[in-house]
Amino acid sequence: MTGLSVIGSGYVGLVWACCMADRGHQVVISERDREKLRLLNEGKLPFYEPCLEGLMSRALAKARLSFTSETCEAVANSEISFIAVGTPSIRLGGMNLSQIKSASVDVGRALRETKFYHIVVVRSSVTPGTTTNLIKPTLERTSGKRVGRDFGLAVQPEFLREGSAIRDVLNPDRIVIGACDKRAGNRLRRFYRAFYSHKVPPLLEVSPTCAEMIKLASNAFLAARVSFINEIANICERLEDVDVVDVATGMGLDRRIGSAYFNAGLEFGGSCLPKDLRLLIAKSKQLGHSPLLLEAILRANDLQLLQALRIVKEELGTLSGKRITILGLAFKPGTDDIREAPSLRLIEHLLELGAKITVYDPVATQKASQILGNKVSYANSLHTSLRNADCCILATEWPDFKRLKPEKFVSLMRVPVLVDGRRVYSPKKYMDRLRYRTIGLGSRRR
Ligand code: NAD
């Protein structure tokens, strides 16, 4: 059993901490947000993630997990500290480093007091060079100690997906370690071999900057796949007898291509793909390279939402005064995360065009209401959200939405126009019964 501390109790930090505690480690989480800390101390989750509540209760019941606002206290009681604070991008490119800087200062001050070799692991996604050029000097300055001599430092990017975060942490495709010093690399390798003793994932050891690059490049590639299939969808729509779902299936069966992140629909969103792509673009420009392909991925994604808007306008004509239901607010199913959610941008456009919006999401309504305020109506059930609507746009593919039969839309809506932004319904079945429109369906299939 190892004493661990985790700085930041967000979607990454809390899941990581609970998984570690569940496997027998003693974990202290340091969180600076008072409200989150209050919830955690009451045994409540500050966000939704499937199965996390049970995992956290179990860890708390066994007294393996605790929370504090004092990073010093957390670090002092541990051998390894994981930094999992937020790294948002700033609009004009680049990274908002404030959380990383403050966490590094806090950890550095704590290291001043430690008597034994301690390892700091950067789990946040940062632009290449951040650990070497910012985190390392900050830790050394504030601790008065040296990396490699007095404490260890490594980058270990996190690849979990919200909605399946626990599964991803417990069964990762790979562990990437970018250690600044040999001792830290050796210790972490032993730590992960023991932790994953049931099935050790491939362990890749690289330089810290390379580990940072692997994370951003991976997300840029996933974003590229989504933008690629969306582009193909937009071409399919202008052909006759083609459905992008068949094209994606046919392509995905090729083992060189595969089917992950290959679903056409609304733009990609969330707290990672757009942000990491922007970070990589900004870094590339800073280094003097013009990242044409990366910029095109982002631009194509920005424009993708207009495809759905065009379809809605084709069906409804003017949107002024039309009642439109948005099914799903979270950026994807299985989470309440609404950071850069496509639904929010869609709603913004529809409101500008004079539509009256009703929204429904099984878990993300409360978070979205902090942004949308009273500009929209909030339905408290799936069925009430559809009542008397002129159009329904499916923005997040929650399982409950997938189960809605065409008859339900027809019986509840004033005008049964369904715009399937996630390709969850069978066009054949739904088209026979209502005005079904979707992305990537050729003209003769409509
Ligand atoms: P988040 O915003 O949900 O959580 C960050 C937490 O850190 C917040 O609760 C914040 O209050 C806390 N914090 C900030 N500064 C602190 C400090 N000095 N001391 C203590 N607590 C502090 O972020 P997240 O979604 O968990 O992401 C964290 C990092 O992991 C980001 O770099 C992100 O890009 C990366 N990442 C996220 C995901 C994901 O799916 N969310 C997946 C892989 C990687």
Side-chain angles (χ1 to χ4, degrees):
M1 186 193 83
T2 309
L4 308 173
S5 65
V6 177
I7 322 303
S9 68
Y11 291 84
V12 167
L14 188 57
V15 171
W16 180 251
C18 290
C19 288
M20 293 288 140
D22 198 52
R23 291 285 172 90
H25 296 295
Q26 197 65 41
V27 189
V28 189
I29 296 187
S30 160
E31 172 55 59
R32 68 168 185 189
D33 181 318
R34 297 270 157 198
E35 178 54 18
K36 277 190 183 172
L37 201 58
R38 186 186 65 75
L39 288 170
L40 291 168
N41 277 320
E42 287 174 8
K44 294 180 188 149
L45 293 180
F47 56 85
Y48 173 78
E49 175 64 36
C51 305
L52 188 58
E53 204 167 1
L55 201 65
M56 187 168 93
S57 318
R58 217 157 59 206
L60 289 172
K62 290 184 179 163
R64 288 201 195 125
L65 183 65
S66 58
F67 310 102
T68 176
S69 59
E70 299 303 322
T71 297
C72 259
E73 181 191 320
V75 173
N77 289 309
S78 58
E79 284 174 52
I80 307 176
S81 295
F82 298 93
I83 298 181
V85 299
T87 50
S89 59
I90 41 184
R91 267 279 147 216
L92 296 173
M95 184 168 59
N96 174 346
L97 289 166
S98 60
Q99 296 185 42
I100 277 288
K101 276 184 187 159
S102 73
S104 306
V105 168
D106 294 346
V107 172
R109 286 192 183 135
L111 288 177
R112 196 172 268 279
E113 309 301 327
T114 51
K115 301 270 181 294
F116 305 102
Y117 179 80
H118 188 100
I119 301 178
V120 181
V121 184
V122 180
R123 307 299 322 274
S124 301
S125 310
V126 292
T127 44
T130 306
T131 302
T132 308
N133 301 324
L134 175 82
I135 300 176
K136 182 174 175 231
T138 307
L139 289 171
E140 291 188 329
R141 194 183 65 249
T142 47
S143 66
K145 294 183 174 175
R146 284 273 156 275
V147 166
R149 191 186 65 192
D150 310 309
F151 69 95
L153 177 62
V155 178
Q156 188 215 330
E158 177 56 73
F159 298 102
L160 67 76
R161 296 159 299 171
E162 289 171 21
S164 56
I166 296 172
R167 198 175 348 123
D168 291 347
V169 165
L170 297 179
N171 302 289
D173 289 336
R174 77 297 209 189
I175 300 276
V176 175
I177 299 173
C180 296
D181 58 309
K182 211 167 164 211
R183 190 169 165 192
N186 291 341
R187 175 72 183 95
L188 287 174
R189 200 180 325 116
R190 281 201 309 279
F191 178 76
Y192 287 118
R193 288 224 169 104
F195 185 79
Y196 293 109
S197 56
H198 58 291
K199 187 176 172 233
V200 182
L203 281 171
L204 181 67
E205 291 184 57
V206 293
S207 71
T209 304
C210 183
E212 293 163 339
M213 187 63 178
I214 287 172
K215 173 63 193 175
L216 294 201
S218 299
N219 272 355
F221 186 72
L222 295 175
R225 287 183 63 101
V226 179
S227 278
F228 179 88
I229 202 65
N230 281 342
E231 183 97 283
I232 297 298
N234 299 340
I235 301 171
C236 289
E237 267 174 53
R238 286 153 180 86
L239 292 168
E240 286 188 351
D241 196 13
V242 185
D243 183 345
V244 71
V245 171
D246 298 333
V247 176
T249 306
M251 289 177 69
L253 286 170
D254 185 327
R255 272 172 294 182
R256 294 169 303 175
I257 297 174
S259 59
Y261 286 74
F262 228 35
N263 302 322
L266 301 176
E267 60 179 8
F268 58 77
S271 67
C272 290
L273 294 199
K275 185 253 301 181
D276 288 355
L277 193 51
R278 281 197 294 269
L279 292 183
L280 195 52
I281 290 171
K283 185 66 191 177
S284 173
K285 286 182 176 168
Q286 190 197 333
L287 294 169
H289 172 71
S290 186
L292 296 181
L293 180 59
L294 300 183
E295 287 183 317
I297 297 165
L298 204 55
R299 175 104 182 100
N301 194 51
D302 279 347
L303 294 176
Q304 184 61 17
L305 207 66
L306 302 181
Q307 303 298 328
L309 276 178
R310 176 183 49 79
I311 293 175
V312 175
K313 284 188 206 156
E314 279 171 16
E315 288 298 323
L316 299 187
T318 171
L319 298 196
S320 182
K322 298 278 165 59
R323 301 162 72 100
I324 299 180
T325 299
I326 305 293
L327 288 188
L329 294 165
F331 86 92
K332 66 179 212 172
T335 181
D336 61 351
D337 198 345
I338 48 145
R339 289 177 283 185
E340 300 208 36
S343 64
L344 299 183
R345 217 158 69 89
L346 188 62
I347 289 168
E348 218 175 90
H349 280 285
L350 294 169
L351 286 171
E352 265 170 30
L353 294 168
K356 291 191 161 76
I357 307 293
T358 299
V359 298
Y360 176 72
D361 188 287
V363 300
T365 306
Q366 202 235 331
K367 284 204 168 141
S369 69
Q370 289 162 13
I371 290 172
L372 295 170
N374 58 11
K375 288 190 278 185
V376 303
S377 306
Y378 301 92
N380 52 18
S381 79
L382 177 49
H383 290 175
T384 48
S385 75
L386 293 171
R387 215 155 265 153
N388 297 323
D390 296 306
C391 173
C392 167
I393 307 175
L394 184 126
T396 316
E397 62 276 37
W398 282 101
D400 276 1
F401 302 169
K402 289 187 189 176
R403 284 191 282 269
L404 275 176
K405 297 271 180 286
E407 295 74 28
K408 209 71 214 169
F409 289 102
V410 174
S411 68
L412 291 168
M413 294 172 70
R414 201 177 71 81
V415 185
V417 174
L418 170 59
V419 179
D420 179 355
R422 295 294 179 189
R423 296 305 315 255
V424 300
Y425 302 114
S426 147
K428 260 195 200 129
K429 276 193 203 151
Y430 282 68
M431 235 171 244
D432 281 354
R433 299 181 174 92
L434 46 80
R435 278 161 63 189
Y436 174 84
R437 293 292 303 274
T438 193
I439 284 150
L441 207 54
S443 56
R444 269 191 20 221
R445 302 270 187 123
R446 302 204 278 266

